[in-house]
Structures are given as C-alpha cells and as structure tokens.
Amino acid sequence: MSVYDCTVTTQPGPAPDDAKAKTHHVKDKSGNTVGFVNALPSFGRWKDISLLRAGFIFFRYRLQGKLPVPDTSHAKIPTAPPSFLPRRAGHPTLRTTWIGHATFFVEFPSGFRALFDPVFEEKFGLMSPKRIALSACKPADLPALDAIFLSHNHPDHFSDASLKELIARFPRVHFFVGLETGQWLRQLGASAVTEMEWWDDANVTLKKTQTATGGEKADGGADTISVQVSCLPSQHGTMRTPLDKDTALWASWGIKSGGKSVWFAGDTGYRTVPEGTDELGPGFDALPKNHHFKQIGEFRGPFDLGLIPIGAYHPRFMYSPVHASPLDAVEIFQDTKCKKALGMHWGAWALTSEPIEEPPEKLKEALKHKGLPEKGLFDVMPVGASRDD
C-alpha cells in the first residue's frame, strides 16, 4: 500500500506594499498579536461593534421581521453521485467534486488530493438547522487524502466530528490553516498542522512510502508530488466560543500542482451594503470594496478555477460585511483573475433569509449584469457532481 510523507517549507511570498503593515493584526501594549481584525473600509462599522451588541441587533431585527426564516419544506437541491478518480496520476485535468456547502474534494493532475472546509454532518451544532441537501459522501468514501485546507473555524466550515473522522481515516493528512488555529486541530488529534500568515507561501513535497496506513487504498501515483500553497486574505472572522472571537486568522487559499491551480475563497464578504441600498442602483459601485482580491489576482493569479461563495447573503445590510452576494461573487471572480469558477456556500443549510434555491438564479442575473456568459464561466453544480478543468 503506497502512501505519502509530506514535508512543508514556508516563507513570505510576493505581496503588495500595504501588506507589510499587517493592519489586520491586533496588538497589545507590548506589540504582541492578540487577535485579528478586518481593517479595511469595506468592512464598514461592524469592526467597532461588540459581540454583545451584534447579538442585540440580530434579535431586534428578528423581532421586527427583517430576518425571516426561509421555508425549506419544498426545496429541491440538485444532487448527483460523486465520481472520484481511480488513480492518483495519469489524468491531465483538475477534477473538482462538490461535497456540499463549502466542502470540495479536489484532485490535481499531479495526484495531489485536497479537501476544503470539510463538514459532512446533517447538523453542524446543537442549535443549527438540519441539512437540506445531505453531504454527497462520508469521509470513508474518499479514496485518498493528502491535505485539508480550512478557511476559518466557524462550525459550518470547521466540524469537530468530521475532522476527527478524517484524522482517524487519514492519520498522515496535513492541515493548512490561518494563524492561531492549530490548537483546536491538535486537540482533535491532528499531528501535522501548518499555520500560515496572509501572503505566506509553502512549498509542499509528497514522497511515496510503503508504510501502511488505515485509510488509503493502493492507487499508484508518482514517487514525488510538488505543491505550492499560498495563504491569502479574505474578509470574515473566527470564533469557536464567545470568549475567542477573532483570536485566530481567517484566510483564502491558492493551490498549484501538476500545472493546474485553484483559489478557494472560503467564507468572505466584499463590501458593506447600507440598509435600503439597491445592488443595481445608483451609487452602489461607489461603496468601498475589499481591494485584497485584486491584489490576489495580481500577485498569485491567474487561477484555473475559483471556488467562491454565492449564498447566505440576505438581508444585505446584515450579512454583506462577511458574506458575498452573487453579484459580489462575480466581482471577486473578476478581481482574482480566475479563468472559471464554481459557486458554493448555498443549498445546505438555511443560514440567512434568502430563499434556499435563489443563489444560482441571482448568479445568472449578476453574470448578465456584468456582460458575462450565464453558462460555462461561473457555474453551479449539483451536490456530489464532479467536473474536469
């Protein structure tokens, strides 16, 4: 049975001049980093609102009827059986399988196999809604796994139960996470964790060994696999408990291997939209946008494929700082210089107030508004579907 040992070397990568100031770091009086912040104008006033105040605003809006719970009783989210590659190498394309929500399984032409924000459960917490479209598979169904990339530690992206199961099945799996995130993974049993800062790069080398492990099947593959990983900015936040808000760093990820590249946005906002603002109305384009995405395109792009959120956006005055709308997603797609994209972060749970099946239709409208083709450029897939690029 062939498996791979992984070695990782990290270093600061090419970065824009304004990255050197590290304005997303919160420092104490001694200059030590004690947390992180969205410091750009695109995050608006929310950076100054406490967790308690945000909770008060949420419940006030809910009582006022501004945050209705969508009816999911008749929702029909398209599904398909997943199709994984039978062997690690010998396929010239990049195969991407949408497991559901923000979870993707990506198989690179080099044989490198990566999993993004894995959550397989029907409920991601005791108080969470039930999943509308079930996960396309279970961890046991994955043929092999080299790395897991986590955008942040919110429970719909960072599931203790799923991660424990994955660690048990693939003991050698290597985690790539933002700063100060490794502590939770080590508590779950992870043995290989690389924490990274925005604009850091990692050179990853996988070398074949014959040592048996519990999860992987013998599936051939090259003796050595090379991967370049980039930890990149996003606009979101972190929190595992009410006492650790934004003490860990959120991130997006760029991965290149075997001549193909992917940018995984994770969970992100793009601009803060004031209440009553029409996304297609006058003045909307003048709202401050997060310029990091253009920098990602300039310093790490182009990418063959972007995995970009299109759901959990309504009402915009509440969620726009941290969740992209379909129109935001199209602009992020253009900024980051992705050649093609797939929409995610919809169809699993009713997290916000838009109808559960609305995001794909709004995506088509956004593409049309931007003068882009409605099919073949930025698409959505059924849960479980795979495609080759």
Side-chain angles (χ1 to χ4, degrees):
M1 178 182 295
S2 61
V3 295
Y4 286 79
D5 283 332
C6 179
T7 58
V8 179
T9 304
T10 61
Q11 64 280 322
D17 290 339
D18 62 0
K20 298 175 183 177
K22 296 188 184 297
T23 57
H24 58 292
H25 284 237
V26 177
K27 305 278 190 175
D28 63 14
K29 293 181 179 179
S30 300
N32 301 311
T33 296
V34 294
F36 303 91
V37 66
N38 292 288
L40 301 182
S42 57
F43 197 67
R45 66 188 180 95
W46 291 96
K47 69 177 182 298
D48 300 317
I49 293 178
S50 68
L51 183 61
L52 182 63
R53 176 66 175 162
F56 174 78
I57 293 172
F58 177 88
F59 286 110
R60 176 161 61 86
Y61 285 158
R62 178 60 61 87
L63 289 173
Q64 292 173 346
K66 295 180 179 180
L67 297 172
V69 178
D71 179 13
T72 62
S73 59
H74 301 293
K76 295 182 180 179
I77 306 302
T79 62
S83 176
F84 305 122
L85 293 173
R87 296 178 62 83
R88 275 188 175 269
H91 297 270
T93 61
L94 178 80
R95 175 162 293 188
T96 306
T97 303
W98 188 33
I99 307 301
H101 196 51
T103 307
F104 281 92
F105 183 64
V106 180
E107 300 169 274
F108 289 80
S110 64
F112 182 63
R113 288 174 172 175
L115 190 63
F116 296 86
D117 283 5
V119 180
F120 293 85
E121 295 92 314
E122 184 178 19
K123 297 183 68 173
F124 56 79
L126 292 176
M127 301 300 291
S128 85
K130 286 188 177 181
R131 202 163 190 148
I132 299 157
L134 295 179
S135 173
C137 69
K138 299 297 182 184
D141 299 320
L142 300 177
L145 185 59
D146 300 305
I148 294 175
F149 295 88
L150 297 173
S151 64
H152 66 298
N153 63 14
H154 290 160
D156 61 319
H157 295 255
F158 186 116
S159 160
D160 287 1
S162 290
L163 293 172
K164 283 181 180 179
E165 190 171 348
L166 288 162
I167 291 166
R169 176 163 170 74
F170 303 105
R172 296 172 184 249
V173 68
H174 201 105
F175 286 88
F176 292 88
V177 298
L179 297 176
E180 305 301 328
T181 306
Q183 57 182 313
W184 291 287
L185 291 168
R186 295 183 184 95
Q187 290 172 5
L188 297 176
S191 60
V193 181
T194 296
E195 295 186 0
M196 296 177 68
E197 165 69 295
W198 289 353
W199 301 108
D200 277 357
D201 285 344
N203 295 319
V204 182
T205 302
L206 303 176
K207 290 189 176 181
K208 186 184 290 187
T209 175
Q210 296 301 317
T211 304
T213 187
E216 221 176 14
K217 300 175 182 177
D219 63 349
D223 289 339
T224 302
I225 297 173
S226 297
V227 187
Q228 182 181 9
V229 171
S230 295
C231 180
L232 299 166
S234 64
Q235 181 171 298
H236 202 61
T238 56
M239 188 172 69
R240 297 296 285 174
T241 74
L243 301 178
D244 58 31
K245 183 178 183 298
D246 296 340
T247 58
L249 182 62
W250 50 96
S252 65
W253 296 96
I255 298 93
K256 300 180 180 181
S257 188
K260 292 287 185 176
S261 58
V262 168
W263 179 66
F264 176 70
D267 211 349
T268 188
Y270 184 60
R271 65 187 130 205
T272 295
V273 181
E275 188 169 3
T277 303
D278 182 357
E279 281 199 333
L280 302 181
F284 180 75
D285 283 339
L287 294 174
K289 304 173 185 179
N290 189 315
H291 69 271
H292 286 320
F293 298 104
K294 282 193 173 181
Q295 293 174 335
I296 290 170
E298 179 183 354
F299 284 86
R300 294 295 187 281
F303 299 95
D304 291 296
L305 182 66
L307 306 175
I308 303 175
I310 63 169
Y313 52 79
H314 185 76
R316 298 302 291 136
F317 69 85
M318 188 75 185
Y319 295 108
S320 58
V322 292
H323 286 165
S325 70
L327 182 59
D328 290 340
V330 172
E331 293 196 30
I332 290 171
F333 162 72
Q334 293 176 309
D335 286 354
T336 52
K337 297 183 181 179
C338 294
K339 297 176 184 177
K340 293 186 177 181
L342 291 172
M344 64 172 183
H345 207 257
W346 75 278
W349 296 284
L351 299 176
T352 51
S353 295
E354 75 272 7
I356 196 70
E357 297 169 282
E358 180 182 270
E361 293 304 315
K362 289 293 185 181
L363 177 61
K364 289 181 181 180
E365 293 175 11
L367 290 164
K368 184 177 180 180
H369 176 70
K370 290 293 184 180
L372 300 172
E374 296 178 28
K375 292 184 178 180
L377 185 68
F378 192 155
D379 297 315
V380 295
M381 298 195 301
V383 175
S386 300
R387 85 171 210 181
D388 293 320
D389 288 284

